[in-house]
mmCIF file of all heavy atoms in Angstrom:
data_model
loop_
_atom_site.group_PDB
_atom_site.id
_atom_site.type_symbol
_atom_site.label_atom_id
_atom_site.label_comp_id
_atom_site.label_asym_id
_atom_site.label_seq_id
_atom_site.Cartn_x
_atom_site.Cartn_y
_atom_site.Cartn_z
ATOM 1 N N GLN A 5 0.832 -1.195 0.000
ATOM 2 C CA GLN A 5 0.000 0.000 0.000
ATOM 3 C C GLN A 5 0.875 1.256 0.000
ATOM 4 O O GLN A 5 1.602 1.521 0.951
ATOM 5 C CB GLN A 5 -0.904 0.000 1.242
ATOM 6 C CG GLN A 5 -2.090 -0.934 1.154
ATOM 7 C CD GLN A 5 -3.197 -0.364 0.265
ATOM 8 O OE1 GLN A 5 -3.217 0.825 -0.046
ATOM 9 N NE2 GLN A 5 -4.111 -1.228 -0.154
ATOM 10 N N MET A 6 0.803 2.023 -1.084
ATOM 11 C CA MET A 6 1.511 3.305 -1.175
ATOM 12 C C MET A 6 0.602 4.323 -1.876
ATOM 13 O O MET A 6 0.872 4.767 -2.986
ATOM 14 C CB MET A 6 2.812 3.145 -1.963
ATOM 15 C CG MET A 6 3.866 2.303 -1.282
ATOM 16 S SD MET A 6 5.332 2.117 -2.339
ATOM 17 C CE MET A 6 5.804 3.817 -2.575
ATOM 18 N N PRO A 7 -0.524 4.669 -1.248
ATOM 19 C CA PRO A 7 -1.456 5.598 -1.920
ATOM 20 C C PRO A 7 -0.816 6.964 -2.131
ATOM 21 O O PRO A 7 -0.174 7.520 -1.238
ATOM 22 C CB PRO A 7 -2.641 5.663 -0.947
ATOM 23 C CG PRO A 7 -2.072 5.289 0.376
ATOM 24 C CD PRO A 7 -0.971 4.307 0.101
ATOM 25 N N TYR A 8 -0.993 7.485 -3.329
ATOM 26 C CA TYR A 8 -0.413 8.787 -3.694
ATOM 27 C C TYR A 8 -1.509 9.843 -3.863
ATOM 28 O O TYR A 8 -1.399 10.961 -3.375
ATOM 29 C CB TYR A 8 0.389 8.639 -4.991
ATOM 30 C CG TYR A 8 0.950 9.935 -5.522
ATOM 31 C CD1 TYR A 8 1.915 10.622 -4.812
ATOM 32 C CD2 TYR A 8 0.505 10.456 -6.737
ATOM 33 C CE1 TYR A 8 2.429 11.819 -5.301
ATOM 34 C CE2 TYR A 8 1.018 11.641 -7.227
ATOM 35 C CZ TYR A 8 1.975 12.322 -6.508
ATOM 36 O OH TYR A 8 2.480 13.505 -6.986
ATOM 37 N N ILE A 9 -2.575 9.497 -4.565
ATOM 38 C CA ILE A 9 -3.694 10.416 -4.773
ATOM 39 C C ILE A 9 -4.774 10.072 -3.760
ATOM 40 O O ILE A 9 -5.359 8.993 -3.805
ATOM 41 C CB ILE A 9 -4.230 10.308 -6.218
ATOM 42 C CG1 ILE A 9 -3.125 10.691 -7.203
ATOM 43 C CG2 ILE A 9 -5.459 11.175 -6.418
ATOM 44 C CD1 ILE A 9 -3.480 10.484 -8.642
ATOM 45 N N LYS A 10 -5.042 11.005 -2.867
ATOM 46 C CA LYS A 10 -5.990 10.766 -1.784
ATOM 47 C C LYS A 10 -7.234 11.627 -2.001
ATOM 48 O O LYS A 10 -7.191 12.690 -2.608
ATOM 49 C CB LYS A 10 -5.346 11.097 -0.440
ATOM 50 C CG LYS A 10 -4.105 10.256 -0.143
ATOM 51 C CD LYS A 10 -3.469 10.643 1.180
ATOM 52 C CE LYS A 10 -2.213 9.810 1.440
ATOM 53 N NZ LYS A 10 -1.559 10.181 2.725
ATOM 54 N N GLY A 11 -8.349 11.125 -1.512
ATOM 55 C CA GLY A 11 -9.604 11.844 -1.639
ATOM 56 C C GLY A 11 -10.295 11.655 -2.975
ATOM 57 O O GLY A 11 -11.257 12.364 -3.290
ATOM 58 N N PHE A 12 -9.822 10.718 -3.776
ATOM 59 C CA PHE A 12 -10.435 10.446 -5.079
ATOM 60 C C PHE A 12 -10.504 8.942 -5.279
ATOM 61 O O PHE A 12 -9.511 8.228 -5.094
ATOM 62 C CB PHE A 12 -9.621 11.081 -6.207
ATOM 63 C CG PHE A 12 -10.157 10.786 -7.583
ATOM 64 C CD1 PHE A 12 -11.274 11.436 -8.067
ATOM 65 C CD2 PHE A 12 -9.537 9.840 -8.401
ATOM 66 C CE1 PHE A 12 -11.769 11.172 -9.333
ATOM 67 C CE2 PHE A 12 -10.019 9.557 -9.657
ATOM 68 C CZ PHE A 12 -11.148 10.228 -10.125
ATOM 69 N N THR A 13 -11.675 8.463 -5.638
ATOM 70 C CA THR A 13 -11.875 7.036 -5.899
ATOM 71 C C THR A 13 -11.883 6.814 -7.402
ATOM 72 O O THR A 13 -12.697 7.407 -8.117
ATOM 73 C CB THR A 13 -13.198 6.552 -5.292
ATOM 74 O OG1 THR A 13 -13.204 6.829 -3.884
ATOM 75 C CG2 THR A 13 -13.371 5.060 -5.525
ATOM 76 N N PHE A 14 -10.984 5.983 -7.870
ATOM 77 C CA PHE A 14 -10.918 5.709 -9.301
ATOM 78 C C PHE A 14 -12.140 4.891 -9.723
ATOM 79 O O PHE A 14 -12.424 3.848 -9.137
ATOM 80 C CB PHE A 14 -9.639 4.943 -9.643
ATOM 81 C CG PHE A 14 -8.406 5.789 -9.534
ATOM 82 C CD1 PHE A 14 -7.658 5.805 -8.367
ATOM 83 C CD2 PHE A 14 -7.992 6.579 -10.597
ATOM 84 C CE1 PHE A 14 -6.523 6.590 -8.258
ATOM 85 C CE2 PHE A 14 -6.857 7.363 -10.511
ATOM 86 C CZ PHE A 14 -6.123 7.372 -9.335
ATOM 87 N N PRO A 15 -12.868 5.349 -10.726
ATOM 88 C CA PRO A 15 -14.079 4.622 -11.146
ATOM 89 C C PRO A 15 -13.724 3.282 -11.779
ATOM 90 O O PRO A 15 -12.755 3.166 -12.530
ATOM 91 C CB PRO A 15 -14.725 5.572 -12.169
ATOM 92 C CG PRO A 15 -13.600 6.406 -12.684
ATOM 93 C CD PRO A 15 -12.629 6.562 -11.546
ATOM 94 N N SER A 16 -14.526 2.291 -11.458
ATOM 95 C CA SER A 16 -14.296 0.970 -12.046
ATOM 96 C C SER A 16 -14.785 0.907 -13.492
ATOM 97 O O SER A 16 -14.259 0.132 -14.297
ATOM 98 C CB SER A 16 -15.002 -0.105 -11.213
ATOM 99 O OG SER A 16 -16.394 0.172 -11.116
ATOM 100 N N ASP A 17 -15.776 1.716 -13.819
ATOM 101 C CA ASP A 17 -16.304 1.775 -15.183
ATOM 102 C C ASP A 17 -16.086 3.182 -15.712
ATOM 103 O O ASP A 17 -16.699 4.142 -15.225
ATOM 104 C CB ASP A 17 -17.796 1.414 -15.191
ATOM 105 C CG ASP A 17 -18.337 1.282 -16.617
ATOM 106 O OD1 ASP A 17 -17.535 1.401 -17.566
ATOM 107 O OD2 ASP A 17 -19.555 1.072 -16.774
ATOM 108 N N ILE A 18 -15.235 3.312 -16.710
ATOM 109 C CA ILE A 18 -14.915 4.636 -17.232
ATOM 110 C C ILE A 18 -16.086 5.245 -17.999
ATOM 111 O O ILE A 18 -16.206 6.471 -18.105
ATOM 112 C CB ILE A 18 -13.649 4.565 -18.121
ATOM 113 C CG1 ILE A 18 -13.150 5.970 -18.448
ATOM 114 C CG2 ILE A 18 -13.902 3.761 -19.373
ATOM 115 C CD1 ILE A 18 -11.813 5.991 -19.153
ATOM 116 N N SER A 19 -16.971 4.414 -18.541
ATOM 117 C CA SER A 19 -18.123 4.942 -19.272
ATOM 118 C C SER A 19 -19.040 5.729 -18.346
ATOM 119 O O SER A 19 -19.566 6.792 -18.721
ATOM 120 C CB SER A 19 -18.896 3.805 -19.944
ATOM 121 O OG SER A 19 -18.087 3.134 -20.885
ATOM 122 N N ASN A 20 -19.235 5.227 -17.113
ATOM 123 C CA ASN A 20 -20.046 5.965 -16.144
ATOM 124 C C ASN A 20 -19.369 7.267 -15.746
ATOM 125 O O ASN A 20 -20.036 8.284 -15.516
ATOM 126 C CB ASN A 20 -20.298 5.106 -14.908
ATOM 127 C CG ASN A 20 -21.170 3.903 -15.214
ATOM 128 O OD1 ASN A 20 -21.959 3.926 -16.152
ATOM 129 N ND2 ASN A 20 -21.007 2.848 -14.433
ATOM 130 N N PHE A 21 -18.049 7.261 -15.675
ATOM 131 C CA PHE A 21 -17.317 8.477 -15.323
ATOM 132 C C PHE A 21 -17.447 9.529 -16.416
ATOM 133 O O PHE A 21 -17.624 10.720 -16.137
ATOM 134 C CB PHE A 21 -15.842 8.144 -15.089
ATOM 135 C CG PHE A 21 -14.971 9.360 -14.868
ATOM 136 C CD1 PHE A 21 -14.957 10.002 -13.636
ATOM 137 C CD2 PHE A 21 -14.172 9.860 -15.883
ATOM 138 C CE1 PHE A 21 -14.163 11.118 -13.433
ATOM 139 C CE2 PHE A 21 -13.373 10.966 -15.691
ATOM 140 C CZ PHE A 21 -13.367 11.599 -14.456
ATOM 141 N N LEU A 22 -17.383 9.102 -17.673
ATOM 142 C CA LEU A 22 -17.517 10.039 -18.782
ATOM 143 C C LEU A 22 -18.937 10.558 -18.927
ATOM 144 O O LEU A 22 -19.159 11.646 -19.452
ATOM 145 C CB LEU A 22 -17.066 9.375 -20.089
ATOM 146 C CG LEU A 22 -15.594 8.964 -20.151
ATOM 147 C CD1 LEU A 22 -15.291 8.258 -21.463
ATOM 148 C CD2 LEU A 22 -14.685 10.180 -19.987
ATOM 149 N N GLY A 23 -19.912 9.782 -18.473
ATOM 150 C CA GLY A 23 -21.288 10.244 -18.459
ATOM 151 C C GLY A 23 -22.044 10.066 -19.755
ATOM 152 O O GLY A 23 -23.214 10.448 -19.841
ATOM 153 N N VAL A 24 -21.411 9.520 -20.784
ATOM 154 C CA VAL A 24 -22.086 9.296 -22.064
ATOM 155 C C VAL A 24 -21.675 7.936 -22.601
ATOM 156 O O VAL A 24 -20.622 7.392 -22.248
ATOM 157 C CB VAL A 24 -21.720 10.381 -23.109
ATOM 158 C CG1 VAL A 24 -22.247 11.730 -22.693
ATOM 159 C CG2 VAL A 24 -20.216 10.439 -23.335
ATOM 160 N N ASN A 25 -22.533 7.400 -23.452
ATOM 161 C CA ASN A 25 -22.189 6.202 -24.204
ATOM 162 C C ASN A 25 -21.374 6.633 -25.420
ATOM 163 O O ASN A 25 -21.894 7.294 -26.325
ATOM 164 C CB ASN A 25 -23.461 5.468 -24.641
ATOM 165 C CG ASN A 25 -23.153 4.104 -25.228
ATOM 166 O OD1 ASN A 25 -22.036 3.848 -25.675
ATOM 167 N ND2 ASN A 25 -24.144 3.240 -25.234
ATOM 168 N N VAL A 26 -20.091 6.317 -25.421
ATOM 169 C CA VAL A 26 -19.181 6.858 -26.423
ATOM 170 C C VAL A 26 -19.604 6.471 -27.836
ATOM 171 O O VAL A 26 -19.632 7.298 -28.753
ATOM 172 C CB VAL A 26 -17.735 6.392 -26.132
ATOM 173 C CG1 VAL A 26 -16.795 6.868 -27.224
ATOM 174 C CG2 VAL A 26 -17.276 6.922 -24.785
ATOM 175 N N SER A 27 -19.967 5.215 -28.049
ATOM 176 C CA SER A 27 -20.320 4.752 -29.393
ATOM 177 C C SER A 27 -21.548 5.472 -29.929
ATOM 178 O O SER A 27 -21.562 5.957 -31.063
ATOM 179 C CB SER A 27 -20.557 3.244 -29.380
ATOM 180 O OG SER A 27 -19.397 2.549 -28.964
ATOM 181 N N SER A 28 -22.603 5.574 -29.094
ATOM 182 C CA SER A 28 -23.825 6.247 -29.551
ATOM 183 C C SER A 28 -23.596 7.729 -29.757
ATOM 184 O O SER A 28 -24.146 8.337 -30.684
ATOM 185 C CB SER A 28 -24.950 6.023 -28.539
ATOM 186 O OG SER A 28 -24.603 6.570 -27.280
ATOM 187 N N GLU A 29 -22.757 8.346 -28.912
ATOM 188 C CA GLU A 29 -22.470 9.778 -29.064
ATOM 189 C C GLU A 29 -21.727 10.048 -30.368
ATOM 190 O O GLU A 29 -22.005 11.028 -31.069
ATOM 191 C CB GLU A 29 -21.642 10.262 -27.870
ATOM 192 C CG GLU A 29 -21.360 11.754 -27.871
ATOM 193 C CD GLU A 29 -22.591 12.602 -27.659
ATOM 194 O OE1 GLU A 29 -23.599 12.067 -27.150
ATOM 195 O OE2 GLU A 29 -22.561 13.791 -28.011
ATOM 196 N N MET A 30 -20.776 9.171 -30.715
ATOM 197 C CA MET A 30 -20.048 9.349 -31.973
ATOM 198 C C MET A 30 -20.973 9.192 -33.175
ATOM 199 O O MET A 30 -20.860 9.907 -34.170
ATOM 200 C CB MET A 30 -18.895 8.342 -32.062
ATOM 201 C CG MET A 30 -17.810 8.510 -31.014
ATOM 202 S SD MET A 30 -17.044 10.127 -30.987
ATOM 203 C CE MET A 30 -17.889 10.896 -29.609
ATOM 204 N N LYS A 31 -21.901 8.244 -33.080
ATOM 205 C CA LYS A 31 -22.848 8.039 -34.182
ATOM 206 C C LYS A 31 -23.755 9.250 -34.352
ATOM 207 O O LYS A 31 -24.068 9.660 -35.477
ATOM 208 C CB LYS A 31 -23.676 6.780 -33.933
ATOM 209 C CG LYS A 31 -22.882 5.485 -34.063
ATOM 210 C CD LYS A 31 -23.761 4.278 -33.786
ATOM 211 C CE LYS A 31 -22.961 2.979 -33.912
ATOM 212 N NZ LYS A 31 -23.803 1.783 -33.609
ATOM 213 N N LYS A 32 -24.193 9.858 -33.236
ATOM 214 C CA LYS A 32 -25.038 11.046 -33.319
ATOM 215 C C LYS A 32 -24.285 12.211 -33.967
ATOM 216 O O LYS A 32 -24.820 12.909 -34.830
ATOM 217 C CB LYS A 32 -25.507 11.444 -31.916
ATOM 218 C CG LYS A 32 -26.526 10.502 -31.296
ATOM 219 C CD LYS A 32 -26.917 10.982 -29.912
ATOM 220 C CE LYS A 32 -27.891 10.012 -29.254
ATOM 221 N NZ LYS A 32 -28.254 10.454 -27.869
ATOM 222 N N GLN A 33 -23.046 12.431 -33.544
ATOM 223 C CA GLN A 33 -22.263 13.527 -34.119
ATOM 224 C C GLN A 33 -22.000 13.301 -35.605
ATOM 225 O O GLN A 33 -22.090 14.236 -36.411
ATOM 226 C CB GLN A 33 -20.937 13.678 -33.356
ATOM 227 C CG GLN A 33 -21.090 14.187 -31.940
ATOM 228 C CD GLN A 33 -19.760 14.378 -31.251
ATOM 229 O OE1 GLN A 33 -18.698 14.201 -31.841
ATOM 230 N NE2 GLN A 33 -19.797 14.748 -29.973
ATOM 231 N N LYS A 34 -21.693 12.060 -35.962
ATOM 232 C CA LYS A 34 -21.442 11.759 -37.376
ATOM 233 C C LYS A 34 -22.688 11.993 -38.213
ATOM 234 O O LYS A 34 -22.614 12.541 -39.329
ATOM 235 C CB LYS A 34 -20.970 10.309 -37.513
ATOM 236 C CG LYS A 34 -20.571 9.928 -38.926
ATOM 237 C CD LYS A 34 -20.056 8.500 -38.972
ATOM 238 C CE LYS A 34 -19.638 8.113 -40.384
ATOM 239 N NZ LYS A 34 -19.134 6.709 -40.436
ATOM 240 N N ALA A 35 -23.852 11.589 -37.677
ATOM 241 C CA ALA A 35 -25.097 11.798 -38.414
ATOM 242 C C ALA A 35 -25.388 13.284 -38.586
ATOM 243 O O ALA A 35 -25.820 13.729 -39.656
ATOM 244 C CB ALA A 35 -26.245 11.114 -37.677
ATOM 245 N N ARG A 36 -25.119 14.077 -37.548
ATOM 246 C CA ARG A 36 -25.353 15.523 -37.646
ATOM 247 C C ARG A 36 -24.437 16.167 -38.675
ATOM 248 O O ARG A 36 -24.847 17.056 -39.419
ATOM 249 C CB ARG A 36 -25.136 16.174 -36.277
ATOM 250 C CG ARG A 36 -26.184 15.863 -35.247
ATOM 251 C CD ARG A 36 -25.806 16.436 -33.901
ATOM 252 N NE ARG A 36 -25.691 17.884 -33.957
ATOM 253 C CZ ARG A 36 -25.153 18.619 -32.981
ATOM 254 N NH1 ARG A 36 -24.670 18.019 -31.907
ATOM 255 N NH2 ARG A 36 -25.097 19.919 -33.091
ATOM 256 N N MET A 37 -23.191 15.706 -38.736
ATOM 257 C CA MET A 37 -22.240 16.300 -39.678
ATOM 258 C C MET A 37 -22.530 15.882 -41.113
ATOM 259 O O MET A 37 -22.347 16.659 -42.046
ATOM 260 C CB MET A 37 -20.809 15.911 -39.285
ATOM 261 C CG MET A 37 -20.371 16.479 -37.946
ATOM 262 S SD MET A 37 -18.767 15.871 -37.392
ATOM 263 C CE MET A 37 -17.674 16.722 -38.511
ATOM 264 N N LEU A 38 -22.993 14.645 -41.303
ATOM 265 C CA LEU A 38 -23.224 14.151 -42.659
ATOM 266 C C LEU A 38 -24.548 14.622 -43.238
ATOM 267 O O LEU A 38 -24.699 14.694 -44.455
ATOM 268 C CB LEU A 38 -23.162 12.625 -42.673
ATOM 269 C CG LEU A 38 -21.789 12.006 -42.413
ATOM 270 C CD1 LEU A 38 -21.878 10.487 -42.428
ATOM 271 C CD2 LEU A 38 -20.768 12.473 -43.438
ATOM 272 N N THR A 39 -25.516 14.898 -42.366
ATOM 273 C CA THR A 39 -26.825 15.324 -42.859
ATOM 274 C C THR A 39 -26.997 16.832 -42.858
ATOM 275 O O THR A 39 -28.095 17.331 -43.076
ATOM 276 C CB THR A 39 -27.942 14.700 -41.993
ATOM 277 O OG1 THR A 39 -27.740 15.085 -40.621
ATOM 278 C CG2 THR A 39 -27.936 13.199 -42.101
ATOM 279 N N THR A 40 -25.910 17.564 -42.625
ATOM 280 C CA THR A 40 -26.003 19.023 -42.632
ATOM 281 C C THR A 40 -26.238 19.521 -44.052
ATOM 282 O O THR A 40 -25.715 18.979 -45.018
ATOM 283 C CB THR A 40 -24.695 19.628 -42.082
ATOM 284 O OG1 THR A 40 -24.415 19.047 -40.810
ATOM 285 C CG2 THR A 40 -24.822 21.132 -41.927
ATOM 286 N N LYS A 41 -27.031 20.581 -44.154
ATOM 287 C CA LYS A 41 -27.289 21.184 -45.455
ATOM 288 C C LYS A 41 -25.996 21.735 -46.034
ATOM 289 O O LYS A 41 -25.289 22.521 -45.414
ATOM 290 C CB LYS A 41 -28.310 22.316 -45.309
ATOM 291 C CG LYS A 41 -28.610 23.034 -46.615
ATOM 292 C CD LYS A 41 -29.556 24.201 -46.369
ATOM 293 C CE LYS A 41 -29.781 24.976 -47.663
ATOM 294 N NZ LYS A 41 -30.655 26.150 -47.442
ATOM 295 N N LYS A 42 -25.662 21.283 -47.239
ATOM 296 C CA LYS A 42 -24.425 21.717 -47.891
ATOM 297 C C LYS A 42 -24.709 22.848 -48.874
ATOM 298 O O LYS A 42 -25.746 22.860 -49.531
ATOM 299 C CB LYS A 42 -23.778 20.544 -48.648
ATOM 300 C CG LYS A 42 -23.512 19.326 -47.793
ATOM 301 C CD LYS A 42 -22.569 19.623 -46.658
ATOM 302 C CE LYS A 42 -22.131 18.360 -45.940
ATOM 303 N NZ LYS A 42 -23.203 17.612 -45.343
ATOM 304 N N PRO A 43 -23.794 23.807 -48.995
ATOM 305 C CA PRO A 43 -23.986 24.936 -49.919
ATOM 306 C C PRO A 43 -23.630 24.548 -51.348
ATOM 307 O O PRO A 43 -22.669 25.045 -51.932
ATOM 308 C CB PRO A 43 -23.037 25.990 -49.361
ATOM 309 C CG PRO A 43 -21.926 25.198 -48.763
ATOM 310 C CD PRO A 43 -22.550 23.938 -48.221
ATOM 311 N N THR A 44 -24.381 23.619 -51.926
ATOM 312 C CA THR A 44 -24.011 23.100 -53.242
ATOM 313 C C THR A 44 -24.532 23.949 -54.388
ATOM 314 O O THR A 44 -23.951 23.951 -55.471
ATOM 315 C CB THR A 44 -24.549 21.663 -53.394
ATOM 316 O OG1 THR A 44 -25.972 21.688 -53.165
ATOM 317 C CG2 THR A 44 -23.900 20.737 -52.389
ATOM 318 N N SER A 45 -25.643 24.670 -54.167
ATOM 319 C CA SER A 45 -26.285 25.369 -55.292
ATOM 320 C C SER A 45 -25.386 26.444 -55.868
ATOM 321 O O SER A 45 -25.074 26.444 -57.068
ATOM 322 C CB SER A 45 -27.609 25.969 -54.831
ATOM 323 O OG SER A 45 -27.379 26.866 -53.743
ATOM 324 N N TRP A 46 -24.902 27.376 -55.025
ATOM 325 C CA TRP A 46 -24.089 28.463 -55.567
ATOM 326 C C TRP A 46 -22.670 28.008 -55.893
ATOM 327 O O TRP A 46 -22.004 28.589 -56.750
ATOM 328 C CB TRP A 46 -24.064 29.644 -54.602
ATOM 329 C CG TRP A 46 -23.457 29.365 -53.265
ATOM 330 C CD1 TRP A 46 -24.082 28.924 -52.155
ATOM 331 C CD2 TRP A 46 -22.075 29.499 -52.915
ATOM 332 N NE1 TRP A 46 -23.187 28.775 -51.125
ATOM 333 C CE2 TRP A 46 -21.954 29.130 -51.556
ATOM 334 C CE3 TRP A 46 -20.933 29.905 -53.603
ATOM 335 C CZ2 TRP A 46 -20.753 29.145 -50.884
ATOM 336 C CZ3 TRP A 46 -19.723 29.928 -52.932
ATOM 337 C CH2 TRP A 46 -19.639 29.542 -51.581
ATOM 338 N N LEU A 47 -22.188 26.925 -55.236
ATOM 339 C CA LEU A 47 -20.872 26.396 -55.601
ATOM 340 C C LEU A 47 -20.901 25.804 -57.009
ATOM 341 O O LEU A 47 -19.954 25.963 -57.780
ATOM 342 C CB LEU A 47 -20.438 25.331 -54.591
ATOM 343 C CG LEU A 47 -19.858 25.839 -53.269
ATOM 344 C CD1 LEU A 47 -19.551 24.674 -52.340
ATOM 345 C CD2 LEU A 47 -18.603 26.658 -53.500
ATOM 346 N N LYS A 48 -22.020 25.116 -57.358
ATOM 347 C CA LYS A 48 -22.133 24.562 -58.708
ATOM 348 C C LYS A 48 -22.176 25.672 -59.753
ATOM 349 O O LYS A 48 -21.581 25.558 -60.825
ATOM 350 C CB LYS A 48 -23.379 23.687 -58.803
ATOM 351 C CG LYS A 48 -23.260 22.362 -58.052
ATOM 352 C CD LYS A 48 -24.526 21.542 -58.199
ATOM 353 C CE LYS A 48 -24.384 20.209 -57.458
ATOM 354 N NZ LYS A 48 -25.635 19.402 -57.558
#
């Protein structure tokens, strides 16, 4: 026993610590970026 960081409990599940489901969050962001309205009319 050689505790260095005191007053903090390391979480056993990092997903709960981050507070979001990483896979679903990435899918949501990707969908938002891919379905954004693109300025194609005046570029064409």
Side-chain angles (χ1 to χ4, degrees):
Q5 283 284 344
M6 293 177 59
Y8 176 66
I9 299 174
K10 300 178 181 179
F12 177 76
T13 303
F14 289 94
S16 57
D17 188 4
I18 191 172
S19 298
N20 293 334
F21 174 78
L22 297 177
V24 294
N25 189 338
V26 176
S27 300
S28 61
E29 184 68 19
M30 296 303 100
K31 290 179 180 179
K32 289 180 183 178
Q33 291 183 4
K34 185 177 181 180
R36 289 174 61 192
M37 295 173 72
L38 292 179
T39 57
T40 307
K41 178 184 176 182
K42 305 299 189 299
T44 56
S45 58
W46 62 270
L47 280 177
K48 288 180 179 178

